[in-house]
Amino acid sequence: MAWVLKMDEVIESGLVHDFDASLSGIGQELGAGAYSMSDVLALPIFKQEDSSLPLDGETKHPPFQYVMCAATSPAVKLHDETLTYLNQGQSYEIRMLDNRKMGDMPEITGKLVKSIIRVVFHDRRLQYTEHQQLEGWKWNRPGDRLLDLDIPMSVGIIDTRTNPSQLNAVEFLWDPAKRTSAFIQVHCISTEFTPRKHGGEKGVPFRIQVDTFKQNENGEYTDHLHSASCQIKVFKPKGADRKQKTDREKMEKRTAHEKEKYQPSYDTTILTE
């Protein structure tokens, strides 16, 4: 199996699709010990979503939940996907949570799973030229990676690997029964992939995507279990904080009626299927 999934295959297989109706965030800050999904699902935003969920017993229950500890923008309309601003090179925690119900996937109980975290392009136009875009970035930034794991900060991750030919991906093993947090650093900024036009630049959005696999009968981690992602923009250091502040100030100037059309800013970002 290829070390990293091609973006087109991911799109076509439906692993990343229609984020508009998905969960948009958590309504309150998760404490350091909040690794039980029953606690997370009891938060107010999940309760609000319950009424819109299908009532038949066939509802797909994702085996895992990934939560990035970075606030979502308040300037996103209600039914749009969340957008999260990150600072270049800063370490951000992604909590890897076991979301299985009793009896779900017994074959992975007591076993390790493998996750691959990648930073990829959000725009389909850039997805089609991803290889050329990344090669161009590599040429301009020799020796740098687009994505790194902050291993000293991370908890519960085992056998971490980075491939010199895949600068936008990191992989590791983890035990769903134990507390696991992967701290990532994104080194590419959104404006590096924007053609320079007169009158300024508008940075392109990226996606943070997590793909998780279990072992096959040969002991290789190739059996796909779950994928989820979220939309991000990456700024030069401190730039994400300034952008978040600007968005907040813009929202404060809007009328109460206008504010109703926008989602609140959540302290954490849920990666959605």
Side-chain angles (χ1 to χ4, degrees):
M1 166 176 171
W3 189 87
V4 66
L5 298 174
K6 289 183 181 174
M7 197 58 199
D8 288 342
E9 291 171 0
V10 175
I11 296 288
E12 287 166 11
S13 63
L15 298 175
V16 180
H17 64 85
D18 192 12
F19 290 81
D20 294 346
S22 56
L23 299 178
S24 55
I26 292 183
Q28 63 190 60
E29 179 66 34
L30 291 176
Y35 287 84
S36 159
M37 276 315 297
S38 59
D39 295 342
V40 176
L41 293 173
L43 293 172
I45 179 166
F46 288 96
K47 288 180 177 174
Q48 290 162 17
E49 300 266 351
D50 286 348
S51 58
S52 61
L53 293 174
L55 295 176
D56 60 27
E58 303 302 311
T59 306
K60 187 169 177 264
H61 186 74
F64 305 110
Q65 181 81 273
Y66 318 117
V67 181
M68 184 163 67
C69 297
T72 60
S73 166
V76 176
K77 293 203 169 167
L78 269 181
H79 298 294
D80 289 350
E81 185 189 0
T82 60
L83 174 60
T84 302
Y85 305 130
L86 304 184
N87 288 313
Q88 178 188 28
Q90 184 172 325
S91 294
Y92 291 93
E93 180 184 8
I94 297 181
R95 294 174 180 170
M96 316 289 288
L97 303 167
D98 186 352
N99 193 27
R100 290 175 299 155
K101 289 179 177 173
M102 188 72 76
D104 281 0
M105 293 189 184
E107 70 275 16
I108 65 169
T109 300
K111 302 232 175 116
L112 299 175
V113 293
K114 178 171 91 170
S115 287
I116 299 172
I117 302 179
R118 292 180 295 138
V119 56
V120 294
F121 291 110
H122 173 73
D123 294 340
R124 192 172 284 248
R125 174 180 56 85
L126 288 169
Q127 289 167 14
Y128 288 130
T129 59
E130 184 171 288
H131 180 72
Q132 297 94 303
Q133 296 284 345
L134 299 186
E135 283 298 310
W137 188 89
K138 183 178 172 183
W139 177 262
N140 291 319
R141 302 267 297 271
D144 286 354
R145 294 184 53 82
L146 283 89
L147 184 69
D148 267 325
L149 267 177
D150 186 342
I151 295 173
M153 292 279 287
S154 298
V155 177
I157 63 174
I158 304 160
D159 195 20
T160 59
R161 296 187 184 186
T162 54
N163 186 326
S165 67
Q166 301 288 349
L167 301 178
N168 64 327
V170 294
E171 69 171 64
F172 53 88
L173 304 180
W174 59 286
D175 182 347
K178 294 181 180 172
R179 172 184 164 177
T180 305
S181 284
F183 279 77
I184 61 160
Q185 299 167 337
V186 183
H187 298 294
C188 53
I189 56 176
S190 290
T191 50
E192 287 182 283
F193 300 96
T194 309
R196 284 163 174 76
K197 295 175 182 172
H198 57 281
E201 296 177 339
K202 191 174 181 182
V204 302
F206 301 121
R207 303 199 72 78
I208 293 290
Q209 179 166 322
V210 182
D211 300 299
T212 298
F213 305 84
K214 66 178 179 179
Q215 281 181 306
N216 62 16
E217 57 275 8
N218 300 322
E220 298 166 331
Y221 289 92
T222 54
D223 287 358
H224 179 261
L225 289 170
H226 182 242
S227 291
S229 68
C230 66
Q231 184 182 198
I232 62 165
K233 278 192 175 183
V234 186
F235 296 81
K236 288 182 179 176
K238 303 287 185 187
D241 310 305
R242 287 194 293 273
K243 177 63 173 156
Q244 187 80 353
K245 185 176 179 228
T246 303
D247 280 6
R248 200 165 54 241
E249 288 167 351
K250 268 188 200 167
M251 291 309 300
E252 283 166 3
K253 289 175 185 172
R254 294 183 183 274
T255 65
H257 179 65
E258 285 175 319
K259 284 178 185 173
E260 286 173 7
K261 297 174 184 173
Y262 291 83
Q263 45 185 287
S265 172
Y266 297 107
D267 290 337
T268 53
T269 303
I270 297 285
L271 279 67
T272 50
E273 290 188 294

